[in-house]
Amino acid sequence: MERIQSFAVNHDVMGIGMYTSRVDGDITTYDVRMVIPNGGVYLSSSSAHTIEHLFATFARNSALSNQVVYVGPMGCRTGFYLLVRDMAPEVAINLVRESLQYVADFEGEIPGSKKVECGNYLDHDLAAAKKDVLPLLKVLEDYPVEKLVYPQAEKGV
């Protein structure tokens, strides 16, 4: 089998940030990296689950909802994938920033967290989710489109 593109990314040089993972026609997949890969600190299952519910709810209810294809966590628990259709990169950065700010500021009942709505409804942690979005929010404050490119290892490394 062919090696999939996300496994070809050098995780040793990647930090917290947002990257263009791939472009397939009019759909762009963004790598929304919330912790340093293999850094020893990962999103807990309950935090990632809560971020997913809030991030997806915000993005799918924004003015850009028709362009949002998918929001979901990475299995390695270091971030999320955001798939969008026909969206300018600077708009995608802003959508992620606004979505994560929504998580940081959220109070109340987590959308879709009732037993009838969610397959693991007891696995949520709003306090952890609010804390876990802060490092990426800080990085995204003035994030230029040029930083959407995955970092490369220095020559000879």
Side-chain angles (χ1 to χ4, degrees), residues 71-89:
V71 176
M74 296 176 177
C76 60
R77 298 188 349 254
T78 61
F80 286 78
Y81 287 113
L82 169 66
L83 280 73
V84 296
R85 174 177 282 118
D86 289 327
M87 186 180 293

PDB file of all heavy atoms in Angstrom, residues 71-89:
ATOM      1  N   VAL A  71     -15.093  18.728  10.680  1.00  0.00           N
ATOM      2  CA  VAL A  71     -14.226  19.098  11.794  1.00  0.00           C
ATOM      3  C   VAL A  71     -14.103  17.851  12.647  1.00  0.00           C
ATOM      4  O   VAL A  71     -15.118  17.297  13.081  1.00  0.00           O
ATOM      5  CB  VAL A  71     -14.830  20.223  12.659  1.00  0.00           C
ATOM      6  CG1 VAL A  71     -13.945  20.508  13.869  1.00  0.00           C
ATOM      7  CG2 VAL A  71     -15.076  21.481  11.851  1.00  0.00           C
ATOM      8  N   GLY A  72     -12.882  17.370  12.876  1.00  0.00           N
ATOM      9  CA  GLY A  72     -12.738  16.168  13.696  1.00  0.00           C
ATOM     10  C   GLY A  72     -11.350  16.022  14.268  1.00  0.00           C
ATOM     11  O   GLY A  72     -10.370  16.550  13.729  1.00  0.00           O
ATOM     12  N   PRO A  73     -11.263  15.297  15.383  1.00  0.00           N
ATOM     13  CA  PRO A  73      -9.980  15.134  16.070  1.00  0.00           C
ATOM     14  C   PRO A  73      -9.040  14.162  15.372  1.00  0.00           C
ATOM     15  O   PRO A  73      -9.467  13.252  14.674  1.00  0.00           O
ATOM     16  CB  PRO A  73     -10.396  14.580  17.434  1.00  0.00           C
ATOM     17  CG  PRO A  73     -11.665  13.845  17.159  1.00  0.00           C
ATOM     18  CD  PRO A  73     -12.356  14.611  16.062  1.00  0.00           C
ATOM     19  N   MET A  74      -7.752  14.373  15.590  1.00  0.00           N
ATOM     20  CA  MET A  74      -6.723  13.447  15.120  1.00  0.00           C
ATOM     21  C   MET A  74      -6.650  12.297  16.123  1.00  0.00           C
ATOM     22  O   MET A  74      -6.756  12.510  17.327  1.00  0.00           O
ATOM     23  CB  MET A  74      -5.370  14.149  15.059  1.00  0.00           C
ATOM     24  CG  MET A  74      -5.313  15.257  14.075  1.00  0.00           C
ATOM     25  SD  MET A  74      -3.701  16.072  14.183  1.00  0.00           S
ATOM     26  CE  MET A  74      -3.895  17.252  12.854  1.00  0.00           C
ATOM     27  N   GLY A  75      -6.418  11.118  15.625  1.00  0.00           N
ATOM     28  CA  GLY A  75      -6.293   9.954  16.497  1.00  0.00           C
ATOM     29  C   GLY A  75      -5.149  10.061  17.486  1.00  0.00           C
ATOM     30  O   GLY A  75      -5.200   9.508  18.587  1.00  0.00           O
ATOM     31  N   CYS A  76      -4.104  10.818  17.138  1.00  0.00           N
ATOM     32  CA  CYS A  76      -2.939  10.964  18.017  1.00  0.00           C
ATOM     33  C   CYS A  76      -3.197  11.949  19.155  1.00  0.00           C
ATOM     34  O   CYS A  76      -2.348  12.128  20.022  1.00  0.00           O
ATOM     35  CB  CYS A  76      -1.715  11.393  17.218  1.00  0.00           C
ATOM     36  SG  CYS A  76      -1.923  12.970  16.362  1.00  0.00           S
ATOM     37  N   ARG A  77      -4.359  12.594  19.131  1.00  0.00           N
ATOM     38  CA  ARG A  77      -4.771  13.550  20.156  1.00  0.00           C
ATOM     39  C   ARG A  77      -3.849  14.765  20.260  1.00  0.00           C
ATOM     40  O   ARG A  77      -3.625  15.296  21.345  1.00  0.00           O
ATOM     41  CB  ARG A  77      -4.937  12.864  21.510  1.00  0.00           C
ATOM     42  CG  ARG A  77      -6.006  11.788  21.500  1.00  0.00           C
ATOM     43  CD  ARG A  77      -6.351  11.207  22.856  1.00  0.00           C
ATOM     44  NE  ARG A  77      -5.495  11.542  23.944  1.00  0.00           N
ATOM     45  CZ  ARG A  77      -4.601  10.693  24.508  1.00  0.00           C
ATOM     46  NH1 ARG A  77      -4.474   9.483  24.062  1.00  0.00           N
ATOM     47  NH2 ARG A  77      -3.881  11.088  25.534  1.00  0.00           N
ATOM     48  N   THR A  78      -3.328  15.212  19.109  1.00  0.00           N
ATOM     49  CA  THR A  78      -2.516  16.427  19.085  1.00  0.00           C
ATOM     50  C   THR A  78      -3.226  17.582  18.388  1.00  0.00           C
ATOM     51  O   THR A  78      -2.688  18.692  18.337  1.00  0.00           O
ATOM     52  CB  THR A  78      -1.151  16.191  18.412  1.00  0.00           C
ATOM     53  OG1 THR A  78      -1.355  15.796  17.065  1.00  0.00           O
ATOM     54  CG2 THR A  78      -0.341  15.148  19.157  1.00  0.00           C
ATOM     55  N   GLY A  79      -4.407  17.342  17.853  1.00  0.00           N
ATOM     56  CA  GLY A  79      -5.124  18.406  17.174  1.00  0.00           C
ATOM     57  C   GLY A  79      -6.334  17.905  16.419  1.00  0.00           C
ATOM     58  O   GLY A  79      -6.876  16.839  16.716  1.00  0.00           O
ATOM     59  N   PHE A  80      -6.712  18.693  15.421  1.00  0.00           N
ATOM     60  CA  PHE A  80      -7.931  18.448  14.651  1.00  0.00           C
ATOM     61  C   PHE A  80      -7.669  18.621  13.165  1.00  0.00           C
ATOM     62  O   PHE A  80      -6.723  19.300  12.768  1.00  0.00           O
ATOM     63  CB  PHE A  80      -9.019  19.455  15.070  1.00  0.00           C
ATOM     64  CG  PHE A  80      -9.593  19.150  16.409  1.00  0.00           C
ATOM     65  CD1 PHE A  80      -8.911  19.480  17.561  1.00  0.00           C
ATOM     66  CD2 PHE A  80     -10.813  18.501  16.534  1.00  0.00           C
ATOM     67  CE1 PHE A  80      -9.412  19.170  18.808  1.00  0.00           C
ATOM     68  CE2 PHE A  80     -11.322  18.182  17.769  1.00  0.00           C
ATOM     69  CZ  PHE A  80     -10.627  18.521  18.910  1.00  0.00           C
ATOM     70  N   TYR A  81      -8.527  18.034  12.390  1.00  0.00           N
ATOM     71  CA  TYR A  81      -8.562  18.303  10.956  1.00  0.00           C
ATOM     72  C   TYR A  81      -9.792  19.156  10.679  1.00  0.00           C
ATOM     73  O   TYR A  81     -10.862  18.923  11.240  1.00  0.00           O
ATOM     74  CB  TYR A  81      -8.650  17.011  10.144  1.00  0.00           C
ATOM     75  CG  TYR A  81      -7.359  16.239  10.125  1.00  0.00           C
ATOM     76  CD1 TYR A  81      -7.266  15.006  10.752  1.00  0.00           C
ATOM     77  CD2 TYR A  81      -6.230  16.742   9.490  1.00  0.00           C
ATOM     78  CE1 TYR A  81      -6.082  14.295  10.749  1.00  0.00           C
ATOM     79  CE2 TYR A  81      -5.034  16.038   9.472  1.00  0.00           C
ATOM     80  CZ  TYR A  81      -4.965  14.815  10.107  1.00  0.00           C
ATOM     81  OH  TYR A  81      -3.789  14.119  10.100  1.00  0.00           O
ATOM     82  N   LEU A  82      -9.617  20.134   9.836  1.00  0.00           N
ATOM     83  CA  LEU A  82     -10.706  20.966   9.356  1.00  0.00           C
ATOM     84  C   LEU A  82     -10.688  20.867   7.847  1.00  0.00           C
ATOM     85  O   LEU A  82      -9.682  21.199   7.216  1.00  0.00           O
ATOM     86  CB  LEU A  82     -10.519  22.423   9.790  1.00  0.00           C
ATOM     87  CG  LEU A  82     -11.465  23.447   9.129  1.00  0.00           C
ATOM     88  CD1 LEU A  82     -12.911  23.200   9.561  1.00  0.00           C
ATOM     89  CD2 LEU A  82     -11.026  24.869   9.466  1.00  0.00           C
ATOM     90  N   LEU A  83     -11.781  20.392   7.261  1.00  0.00           N
ATOM     91  CA  LEU A  83     -11.917  20.317   5.807  1.00  0.00           C
ATOM     92  C   LEU A  83     -12.921  21.371   5.372  1.00  0.00           C
ATOM     93  O   LEU A  83     -14.034  21.439   5.922  1.00  0.00           O
ATOM     94  CB  LEU A  83     -12.408  18.941   5.366  1.00  0.00           C
ATOM     95  CG  LEU A  83     -11.359  17.834   5.297  1.00  0.00           C
ATOM     96  CD1 LEU A  83     -10.946  17.382   6.683  1.00  0.00           C
ATOM     97  CD2 LEU A  83     -11.885  16.670   4.506  1.00  0.00           C
ATOM     98  N   VAL A  84     -12.492  22.192   4.413  1.00  0.00           N
ATOM     99  CA  VAL A  84     -13.348  23.263   3.912  1.00  0.00           C
ATOM    100  C   VAL A  84     -13.371  23.241   2.394  1.00  0.00           C
ATOM    101  O   VAL A  84     -12.461  22.736   1.753  1.00  0.00           O
ATOM    102  CB  VAL A  84     -12.878  24.647   4.420  1.00  0.00           C
ATOM    103  CG1 VAL A  84     -12.993  24.733   5.937  1.00  0.00           C
ATOM    104  CG2 VAL A  84     -11.470  24.969   3.965  1.00  0.00           C
ATOM    105  N   ARG A  85     -14.400  23.828   1.844  1.00  0.00           N
ATOM    106  CA  ARG A  85     -14.571  23.897   0.382  1.00  0.00           C
ATOM    107  C   ARG A  85     -14.534  25.354  -0.050  1.00  0.00           C
ATOM    108  O   ARG A  85     -15.220  26.194   0.522  1.00  0.00           O
ATOM    109  CB  ARG A  85     -15.912  23.271   0.003  1.00  0.00           C
ATOM    110  CG  ARG A  85     -16.263  23.428  -1.468  1.00  0.00           C
ATOM    111  CD  ARG A  85     -17.565  22.744  -1.835  1.00  0.00           C
ATOM    112  NE  ARG A  85     -17.307  21.309  -1.949  1.00  0.00           N
ATOM    113  CZ  ARG A  85     -17.879  20.385  -1.180  1.00  0.00           C
ATOM    114  NH1 ARG A  85     -18.742  20.724  -0.263  1.00  0.00           N
ATOM    115  NH2 ARG A  85     -17.587  19.109  -1.359  1.00  0.00           N
ATOM    116  N   ASP A  86     -13.698  25.634  -1.072  1.00  0.00           N
ATOM    117  CA  ASP A  86     -13.640  26.972  -1.671  1.00  0.00           C
ATOM    118  C   ASP A  86     -13.513  28.092  -0.637  1.00  0.00           C
ATOM    119  O   ASP A  86     -14.278  29.047  -0.651  1.00  0.00           O
ATOM    120  CB  ASP A  86     -14.883  27.226  -2.537  1.00  0.00           C
ATOM    121  CG  ASP A  86     -14.886  26.410  -3.807  1.00  0.00           C
ATOM    122  OD1 ASP A  86     -13.795  26.157  -4.355  1.00  0.00           O
ATOM    123  OD2 ASP A  86     -15.982  26.018  -4.258  1.00  0.00           O
ATOM    124  N   MET A  87     -12.524  27.960   0.257  1.00  0.00           N
ATOM    125  CA  MET A  87     -12.333  28.967   1.296  1.00  0.00           C
ATOM    126  C   MET A  87     -10.897  29.495   1.211  1.00  0.00           C
ATOM    127  O   MET A  87      -9.948  28.712   1.187  1.00  0.00           O
ATOM    128  CB  MET A  87     -12.596  28.365   2.676  1.00  0.00           C
ATOM    129  CG  MET A  87     -12.565  29.376   3.812  1.00  0.00           C
ATOM    130  SD  MET A  87     -12.875  28.621   5.432  1.00  0.00           S
ATOM    131  CE  MET A  87     -14.580  28.100   5.273  1.00  0.00           C
ATOM    132  N   ALA A  88     -10.756  30.797   1.180  1.00  0.00           N
ATOM    133  CA  ALA A  88      -9.432  31.411   1.165  1.00  0.00           C
ATOM    134  C   ALA A  88      -8.694  31.073   2.460  1.00  0.00           C
ATOM    135  O   ALA A  88      -9.317  30.992   3.520  1.00  0.00           O
ATOM    136  CB  ALA A  88      -9.561  32.925   1.013  1.00  0.00           C
ATOM    137  N   PRO A  89      -7.394  30.876   2.370  1.00  0.00           N
ATOM    138  CA  PRO A  89      -6.623  30.496   3.552  1.00  0.00           C
ATOM    139  C   PRO A  89      -6.759  31.464   4.734  1.00  0.00           C
ATOM    140  O   PRO A  89      -6.883  31.036   5.884  1.00  0.00           O
ATOM    141  CB  PRO A  89      -5.181  30.444   3.052  1.00  0.00           C
ATOM    142  CG  PRO A  89      -5.289  30.234   1.587  1.00  0.00           C
ATOM    143  CD  PRO A  89      -6.557  30.902   1.165  1.00  0.00           C
TER     144      PRO A  89
END
